[in-house]
Amino acid sequence: MEVQTQTKPKSSIKKTIRITGAEALIKCLLAEGIDLIYGYPGGAIMPIYDKLYKYQDQLNHVLTRHEQGATHAAQGFARVTGKTGVVFATSGPGATNLVTGIADALIDSTPLVCITGQVASHLLGTDAFQETDIISISTPVTKWNYQVTKSSEIPKVIAKAFYIANSGRPGPVLIDITKDAQFGELDFVYEKCKAIRSYTPVPEMDINKVKAAAELINNAKKPFIVMGQGVILGQAEKELKALIKKTGIPIASTALGLSGLETDHPLFVGMVGMHGHYAPNIKTNECDVLIAIGMRFDDRVTGDLKRYAKQARIIHFEIDPAEVDKNVKTDVAVLGDVKVTLKALLPFVNETSHIQWHQEFKDLYELEYEVVIKDQLNPKKSGLTMGEVIEAINKYTKGEAVIVSDVGQHQMFACRYAKFTRTRSKITSGGLGTMGFALPAAIGAKMGVPDREVIAIIGDGGYQMTIQELGTIFQTKIPVKIVVLNNSFLGMVRQWQEMFFDRRYASTKMVNPDFVKIAEGYDIKAKRVDKREDLQAAIQEMVQSKEAYFLEVVIEKEDNVFPMIPTGASVSEVRLE
C-alpha cells in the first residue's frame, strides 16, 4: 500500500543563502526598500562598506564630510518624505559624532536607523582602539538600540529596528554591529517585522473620549486649535481641514507643525510660542476650549505653565501616552492615530462659524502688523531685514519651496514669514535647537524631493558649524540653494543680551570669512548682497538656477525678532517691541 506524505507548498518554504553578516545587512536594507544611505567609513564598519561596493548600483551612499552631517541629512530626507533615514558610521568618534543628530531626531520624532561598526566582540570592554560604549551613550537619545555580536542576529534585529523607527511616534534607532559579526556567516532569510510583543505603537482609540471631546467643542464659545507636527507625521492634513471647515475653529501651529496647513488658509491665525504671532499667544489665555492636536506642550509654546490656558478646558489628541498630562493637565485625552481619531470626531461636531471670535484674532493681527510686520517687510531703515529677505523668497517660490532653517533669529523669521502651500515644507531643528542643522538637512531634503525647490536659510553662526558639508554638495552636485543671513553676530543670543543683559555682548560678535570665496572654492555659484536694490534680482537668479547656489545677504546687525515672550513669562505677556 502506497503511503501519501504531505509536503509544504513551495511558496511557504523560505529560501536561505549563506552570506556574511555584512552582506546580510545590505540585503536587509534592500528588503526594506532603502536606496539611500548617508555615512562615513572607518575601520570597524569596513566589512559593511566592502559589501556595499558590490551593491552600489542599488544603494546610493552619500559620503558626508562629518558624521553629524550624515544624521542631519538623513533627518532632512526623512522629514520631507516620511520614510526612514539611514546612516552608517564607524566605532569610537564616528559613533559619538552621530549623537547630536540622533538626539535631535528623538525630540523631533524623526525616523532614523543608524548603523555603527564596533570592535570585535572579544575586545569589548578592553579599551581597544576606537572602542566606545555607544549603546550606553545613545540609550537616552534613541527610541531603541541594540548591539549585535553574532551574525545570525542581524536579519531579525534590522527588521525590528525599521519597525520601531517608523511606527507609532517615530524616532531614531541605533544598531551597533561588532566586526566579527560582520565577517561571520549565516543562513540568510529576511522577514519584515510587523509586531513586537509588549510594544504598542498606536494606542487603541476610545470612542467615548471622542464623543466627550465633541461635546466640549460643540458647547464652546471661543474654541481654539493648536496643531503640531503630529498632524504631518500622521498624514492627517485632510482630516484636519475637514474638521476646521465644519467647525470654523481658528487654528494656529507650533514651529514644527508649520506647512501642515497652508499659511493662507482663512482659518489659520499664525504660529504660537516664544516668537509666534501676537493673536494666537494672547488668545490662548482667552479661549474656553483649547484643542491640542499632535503637539506636546513644549515650554517654548506654553511659557509659564502655571499661567497657561487656566481658563480653558483642554482636549489633547495624541499618539504617545507619555505626553498626556506631562506638562498640561487635560480634560479629555483622545489617544490614537490622529488620522483615525480626527476622522472619528468629525460626525460628532456641529457646523459652526465663530465669526466674532475670528474677528478678535484679526484685530490683534492688525496691531501686530502695524507695530512689527510692516517695518520688517517694508523697512524704513537703510539696512536689509530678515523679514524682507524671506518675503522676497516667497515672491519667487510662491510658497511651493521646502524651507530648511537652522537655529536662531533667522529660524524664527523663517517660521513667521515664509509661506507654504504644501505639507512637509518647513524643516527645522525644534526641540533640541541644533545649530548646524540646516545645511546637511537641506542636502537630504533635496535628495528626498528632487523635483521641488529646497532652500536652506541659515545664520552666519550656525552655517560655520557644518560648513564642511559644502564638500558633499561639491561631490554630489545636489542643486540645493543656500541663503546665509549675515549680521556678524550670534543673533538670538545677542538679542537676549540687548534686552536682558544691558547690551553686554559677551562672545557673540562674529568675525567672518569671505563666504563667497569659500563657496566658489567648492565650485558653487555664489553672490553677496548688501543693498536693497540688489536683493530681488539676486533671489530671482538663485531660485531660477538649476545648480547649487549660495547667496549671502548682509542684514541689520541689531534687528530683533518680535513678538517675544520672555523666559518665565505668561503667553499673555508677549511683547511686540
Side-chain angles (χ1 to χ4, degrees):
M1 183 177 177
E2 188 176 345
V3 178
Q4 296 291 327
T5 58
Q6 282 191 326
T7 57
K8 291 184 178 181
K10 289 184 178 180
S11 60
S12 68
I13 299 174
K14 299 183 179 69
K15 294 183 179 180
T16 63
I17 54 174
R18 191 75 178 173
I19 55 176
T20 66
E23 188 167 4
L25 171 68
I26 302 301
K27 286 187 171 293
C28 291
L29 297 179
L30 291 172
E32 289 289 344
I34 300 301
D35 58 9
L36 180 62
I37 302 164
Y38 297 93
Y40 206 99
I45 199 170
M46 206 173 292
I48 290 173
Y49 271 88
D50 183 57
K51 292 301 179 184
L52 181 63
Y53 185 82
K54 177 181 174 181
Y55 293 89
Q56 57 187 323
D57 60 330
Q58 296 171 264
L59 280 167
N60 179 20
H61 178 276
V62 176
L63 177 65
T64 57
R65 295 310 187 256
H66 191 283
E67 292 88 353
Q68 181 182 343
T71 56
H72 293 328
Q75 285 177 275
F77 171 83
R79 294 271 288 273
V80 296
T81 63
K83 300 176 183 178
T84 301
V86 178
V87 178
F88 281 0
T90 194
S91 63
T96 59
N97 282 344
L98 300 180
V99 172
T100 296
I102 292 172
D104 194 290
L106 182 70
I107 200 165
D108 284 354
S109 304
T110 306
L112 299 183
V113 171
C114 299
I115 308 295
T116 54
Q118 184 56 276
V119 300
S121 55
H122 72 277
L123 292 174
L124 291 172
T126 69
D127 294 330
F129 177 67
Q130 289 194 335
E131 181 202 356
T132 299
D133 185 0
I134 193 61
I135 294 298
S136 295
I137 290 171
S138 65
T139 294
V141 294
T142 50
K143 191 176 177 184
W144 181 62
N145 65 11
Y146 187 84
Q147 186 173 75
V148 174
T149 58
K150 296 178 182 178
S151 58
S152 59
E153 295 180 288
I154 288 174
K156 285 189 176 180
V157 169
I158 297 301
K160 186 176 178 180
F162 276 94
Y163 177 66
I164 291 174
N166 213 349
S167 60
R169 181 180 181 179
V173 170
L174 183 140
I175 305 300
D176 193 43
I177 308 177
T178 61
K179 202 166 185 178
D180 51 321
Q182 297 172 48
F183 277 125
E185 292 190 344
L186 71 152
D187 293 322
F188 177 77
V189 63
Y190 191 75
E191 289 185 66
K192 286 189 177 185
C193 181
K194 297 179 181 178
I196 300 172
R197 185 178 176 183
S198 78
Y199 170 55
T200 307
V202 181
E204 187 177 349
M205 181 185 70
D206 182 344
I207 193 64
N208 291 321
K209 295 287 188 180
V210 174
K211 291 178 180 178
E215 185 177 0
L216 285 179
I217 292 169
N218 290 337
N219 291 324
K221 302 300 182 186
K222 294 184 175 183
F224 179 38
I225 294 174
V226 178
M227 62 171 285
Q229 189 189 199
V231 171
I232 298 170
L233 297 175
Q235 301 178 44
E237 296 92 342
K238 180 180 177 182
E239 288 73 16
L240 179 72
K241 281 187 183 180
L243 175 66
I244 61 175
K245 180 180 181 181
K246 185 174 183 180
T247 62
I249 299 175
I251 179 169
S253 173
T254 65
L256 291 185
L258 289 169
S259 81
L261 182 70
E262 56 267 30
T263 46
D264 65 353
H265 193 286
L267 297 177
F268 184 67
V269 295
M271 182 177 74
V272 293
M274 179 173 280
H275 292 289
H277 291 86
Y278 191 61
N281 277 316
I282 291 290
K283 293 303 175 182
T284 295
N285 276 6
E286 294 181 14
C287 66
D288 56 2
V289 174
L290 179 63
I291 306 133
I293 305 177
M295 55 88 80
R296 58 188 179 85
F297 292 109
D298 176 75
D299 64 294
R300 286 294 173 103
V301 167
T302 65
D304 182 9
L305 280 169
K306 294 178 181 178
R307 294 180 285 167
Y308 180 78
K310 291 301 178 184
Q311 80 294 338
R313 306 293 294 276
I314 308 292
I315 302 170
H316 196 177
F317 286 83
E318 178 58 48
I319 197 169
D320 185 357
E323 293 295 346
V324 174
D325 295 335
K326 185 175 79 174
N327 295 327
V328 174
K329 178 66 177 174
T330 58
D331 293 276
V332 178
V334 183
L335 290 172
D337 182 336
V338 71
K339 188 177 184 69
V340 174
T341 55
L342 289 184
K343 188 175 182 179
L345 175 70
L346 192 61
F348 297 108
V349 293
N350 297 333
E351 191 167 339
T352 48
S353 59
H354 300 290
I355 295 173
Q356 185 53 47
W357 177 227
H358 271 286
Q359 189 60 47
E360 293 182 34
F361 282 88
K362 291 176 182 177
D363 292 343
L364 289 180
Y365 174 80
E366 291 302 321
L367 176 60
E368 180 182 352
Y369 182 85
E370 289 300 320
V371 177
V372 178
I373 298 173
K374 184 167 69 173
D375 192 47
Q376 272 294 322
L377 302 185
N378 302 288
K380 296 176 182 177
K381 58 193 80 172
S382 59
L384 288 162
T385 68
M386 295 191 190
E388 67 179 312
V389 177
I390 305 300
E391 185 68 7
I393 291 171
N394 291 333
K395 177 181 176 181
Y396 291 104
T397 63
K398 303 187 187 308
E400 292 286 325
V402 175
I403 302 295
V404 184
S405 60
D406 213 77
V407 173
Q409 283 183 316
H410 70 279
Q411 175 191 33
M412 292 296 99
F413 275 107
C415 287
R416 285 178 48 77
Y417 293 98
K419 304 297 184 186
F420 303 106
T421 61
R422 299 169 65 176
T423 190
R424 293 188 180 273
S425 295
K426 180 68 183 79
I427 312 298
T428 193
S429 171
L432 196 64
T434 304
M435 292 178 68
F437 172 88
L439 180 58
I443 293 170
K446 183 62 178 178
M447 296 185 78
V449 285
D451 57 324
R452 297 186 64 189
E453 195 71 67
V454 176
I455 301 176
I457 298 173
I458 319 176
D460 49 313
Y463 180 57
Q464 293 177 82
M465 287 193 171
T466 51
I467 195 171
Q468 71 276 357
E469 298 308 329
L470 292 176
T472 306
I473 297 173
F474 177 55
Q475 184 165 343
T476 61
K477 305 302 180 186
I478 299 299
V480 69
K481 311 297 171 61
I482 307 158
V483 178
V484 167
L485 301 178
N486 184 3
N487 57 8
S488 297
F489 267 108
L490 297 177
M492 188 63 88
V493 183
R494 186 214 58 76
Q495 179 170 335
W496 283 52
Q497 288 172 332
E498 176 187 336
M499 296 177 67
F500 308 116
F501 295 90
D502 297 326
R503 294 180 181 265
R504 292 187 293 275
Y505 296 152
S507 302
T508 48
K509 293 182 180 179
M510 301 283 290
V511 178
N512 291 319
D514 188 326
F515 290 130
V516 169
K517 285 184 178 178
I518 291 171
E520 289 175 340
Y522 285 100
D523 199 28
I524 297 171
K525 188 171 183 180
K527 182 169 286 189
R528 185 176 191 266
V529 170
D530 58 7
K531 294 183 176 61
R532 182 162 289 114
E533 56 266 29
D534 299 328
L535 178 64
Q536 296 288 333
I539 296 288
Q540 183 178 24
E541 181 180 321
M542 177 190 73
V543 171
Q544 291 177 349
S545 174
K546 300 300 182 183
E547 300 175 346
Y549 194 106
F550 172 84
L551 177 63
E552 176 188 2
V553 183
V554 180
I555 56 167
E556 283 277 339
K557 287 189 175 183
E558 297 190 13
D559 189 21
N560 291 332
V561 55
F562 283 104
M564 180 179 183
I565 304 169
T567 300
S570 162
V571 290
S572 300
E573 297 170 326
V574 57
R575 294 171 54 173
L576 284 172
E577 53 189 350

